[in-house]
Amino acid sequence: MENFVYQNPTKIIFGRKTQNQVGAETALYGKKVLLHYGGSSIKKSGLYDEVVKSLKENNIEIYELGGVVPNPRLSMVREGIKLCLDNDIDFILAVGGGSVIDSAKAISGGVKYDGDVWDFFAKGVVCQDGLPYGTILTLPATGTEMNFRCVITKDDTLEKRGASFLNPSFSILNAELCATLPKHQVANGVVDMLAHLMERYFTNTTNIDVTDRQIEALMKTIVELGPEVYQDPTNYDVYAQIMWAGTVAHNYSLCVGRETDWATHQIEHELSGMYDVAHGAGLAVLFPAWMKYVYKHDVRRFAQFATRVFNVENDFFNQEKTAYQGILALEKFYKSLDMPLTLRDLDIPESSIDELASNTTRNDKITQGNFVKLQTKDIKEILLLAR
């Protein structure tokens, strides 16, 4: 187990009707708020009216910026920064899923930075300060509601890059708000949160039984309850558990003391940057392919994953068989959510594989992953396995 320092300043407000507390929470930080959201769904559901009412009851002046799209765009971030600076806005409230929250996170850092906000993503500039912001989560998936990471796509080049900013000051989580989500969004969210756990689970670090067991418990919960919430997102008791699992999966408490991987996420960022596919859908295609390529690196760990998460019978005389059965069980789980399983399912042409692979390694200037360090040729093989 490696040394670590862990601190998470985000206040979580969890449960039914908690969105009605947003005005009082926001008032602790400022009196001018940028209300940031995506499309019309929060207005159709009535959530927008509830939020505005709560903010106005607390004498908060509201400026709006809607229209965030999946794989959020740099142009929207720059628009938000300008709006905050022009109006002396002192707080950002993101109401939506991961894309909206990521956009707000980047706006927060950009407001306090003298240069261009893309520097954080392209040049590795470290964020030192940011405008405080809070969130109301409407789509459990990314875990961004309780961490410092975000991913933004540059409009003209379609580069999709990640960077670190401030944590949210608070996040409001009410599974009631997810009841009207389209089924494909529910499925994408479930796949994403499971992927965050697997990126941490497959590691070369030893003597990490505590976090192994924590990760396994969350993965097992998602595998058991994911199909239930997919079939019926109105089941509050089930979706509340899935919502909290998604938050804990990526609040960085489960990677303490252990090396993590993230190769699959990096490959998927290139895929969704180029083709604008849903992040969860891309992960469903790529994760089994990555596993098939690397599982022999540590057959014991993959067999452990198979037996503890998917209840695969352990063949002690053929651990490789057990490990591979776990990969097949993962594919079966994705199929229960009607997720794509191949690049063909996503209409990704085989002719793009070379470009996707080279983009992921910046033409072999970097490697991806830690469990097995991948070069361009390795990523090409993974993409071919995903065909």
Side-chain angles (χ1 to χ4, degrees):
M1 190 171 185
E2 299 173 354
N3 293 1
F4 68 87
V5 174
Y6 178 73
Q7 180 179 357
N8 195 313
T10 302
K11 177 181 181 180
I12 296 295
I13 304 164
F14 190 99
R16 299 178 189 269
K17 307 301 180 188
T18 46
Q19 67 270 23
N20 296 325
Q21 301 176 38
V22 68
E25 290 295 327
T26 299
L28 298 174
Y29 299 93
K31 286 298 181 182
K32 286 186 173 184
V33 64
L34 175 65
L35 180 56
H36 200 33
Y37 55 92
S40 60
S41 59
I42 68 166
K43 294 184 177 180
K44 291 178 181 177
S45 69
L47 176 59
Y48 173 88
D49 291 334
E50 290 180 301
V51 170
V52 168
K53 180 176 182 288
S54 183
L55 292 172
K56 287 185 175 179
E57 286 175 347
N58 286 271
N59 302 311
I60 294 169
E61 189 176 351
I62 303 170
Y63 296 81
E64 295 189 26
L65 181 59
V68 179
V69 297
N71 299 314
R73 298 303 197 263
L74 178 63
S75 57
M76 176 69 76
V77 171
R78 287 172 172 157
E79 185 179 350
I81 293 168
K82 185 177 186 301
L83 190 58
C84 288
L85 291 172
D86 289 349
N87 296 282
D88 295 319
I89 288 171
D90 44 25
F91 192 78
I92 304 168
L93 178 63
V95 182
S99 295
V100 174
I101 297 171
D102 276 11
S103 183
K105 201 170 285 190
I107 292 169
S108 162
V111 168
K112 297 285 188 175
Y113 178 59
D114 289 336
D116 180 52
V117 67
W118 189 244
D119 292 347
F120 294 111
F121 301 89
K123 297 181 180 179
V125 173
V126 177
C127 179
Q128 303 291 344
D129 196 8
L131 209 60
Y133 68 100
T135 87
I136 299 178
L137 182 66
T138 62
L139 174 56
T142 68
T144 190
E145 66 275 6
M146 201 180 179
N147 69 41
F148 49 84
R149 290 292 288 177
C150 84
V151 179
I152 298 293
T153 299
K154 195 168 186 282
D155 305 64
D156 53 349
T157 63
L158 299 182
E159 296 170 88
K160 189 174 179 180
R161 300 287 180 263
S164 297
F165 295 95
L166 300 185
N167 272 57
S169 299
F170 66 81
S171 285
I172 292 172
L173 280 63
N174 174 11
E176 292 175 314
L177 304 179
C178 309
T180 58
L181 284 171
K183 289 182 69 173
H184 72 276
Q185 290 190 5
V186 175
N188 282 324
V190 168
V191 170
D192 195 13
M193 60 183 71
L194 183 62
H196 292 152
L197 293 163
M198 293 189 296
E199 295 283 19
R200 292 171 165 87
Y201 191 72
F202 294 104
T203 180
N204 296 310
T205 311
T206 57
N207 300 311
I208 45 171
D209 293 347
V210 172
T211 46
D212 265 1
R213 290 295 192 176
Q214 289 175 310
I215 294 169
E216 288 160 2
L218 283 169
M219 288 194 290
K220 198 167 184 64
T221 299
I222 291 167
V223 166
E224 289 179 357
L225 298 184
E228 286 189 43
V229 80
Y230 175 61
Q231 293 300 329
D232 182 15
T234 66
N235 187 328
Y236 176 86
D237 291 328
V238 174
Y239 217 152
Q241 294 181 75
I242 288 290
M243 176 175 262
W244 185 234
T247 299
V248 178
H250 204 27
N251 69 1
Y252 286 82
S253 63
L254 299 179
C255 55
V256 296
R258 61 194 294 147
E259 179 186 70
T260 56
D261 191 70
W262 301 104
T264 307
H265 264 74
Q266 293 302 323
I267 300 169
E268 199 291 321
H269 286 170
E270 296 301 329
L271 180 66
S272 55
M274 283 179 62
Y275 291 100
D276 210 26
V277 301
H279 183 51
L283 289 170
V285 168
L286 292 171
F287 234 115
W290 173 84
M291 288 178 162
K292 291 171 185 176
Y293 190 74
V294 305
Y295 80 98
K296 292 182 182 179
H297 173 71
D298 189 346
V299 170
R300 185 203 62 80
R301 177 155 286 273
F302 272 90
Q304 179 177 290
F305 170 77
T307 57
R308 292 184 181 178
V309 178
F310 286 101
N311 300 322
V312 172
E313 185 176 353
N314 195 357
D315 187 336
F316 293 99
F317 299 101
N318 191 345
Q319 288 281 278
E320 188 172 322
K321 176 185 175 183
T322 303
Y324 202 82
Q325 287 300 312
I327 301 171
L328 297 181
L330 177 64
E331 289 182 320
K332 184 178 179 181
F333 170 70
Y334 289 155
K335 193 171 183 179
S336 75
L337 301 174
D338 296 320
M339 295 302 290
L341 295 177
T342 68
L343 290 175
R344 289 187 296 276
D345 293 338
L346 295 174
D347 294 323
I348 306 301
E350 187 171 354
S351 58
S352 68
I353 285 178
D354 285 342
E355 183 180 4
L356 285 166
S358 61
N359 286 350
T360 307
T361 64
R362 315 291 186 266
N363 295 313
D364 264 331
K365 292 179 182 176
I366 59 174
T367 58
Q368 294 293 353
N370 291 306
F371 185 69
V372 174
K373 293 190 180 297
L374 304 176
Q375 299 177 325
T376 301
K377 61 181 179 61
D378 302 303
I379 294 170
K380 181 179 177 180
E381 292 299 320
I382 289 168
L383 291 166
L384 288 171
L385 283 171
R387 284 293 298 163

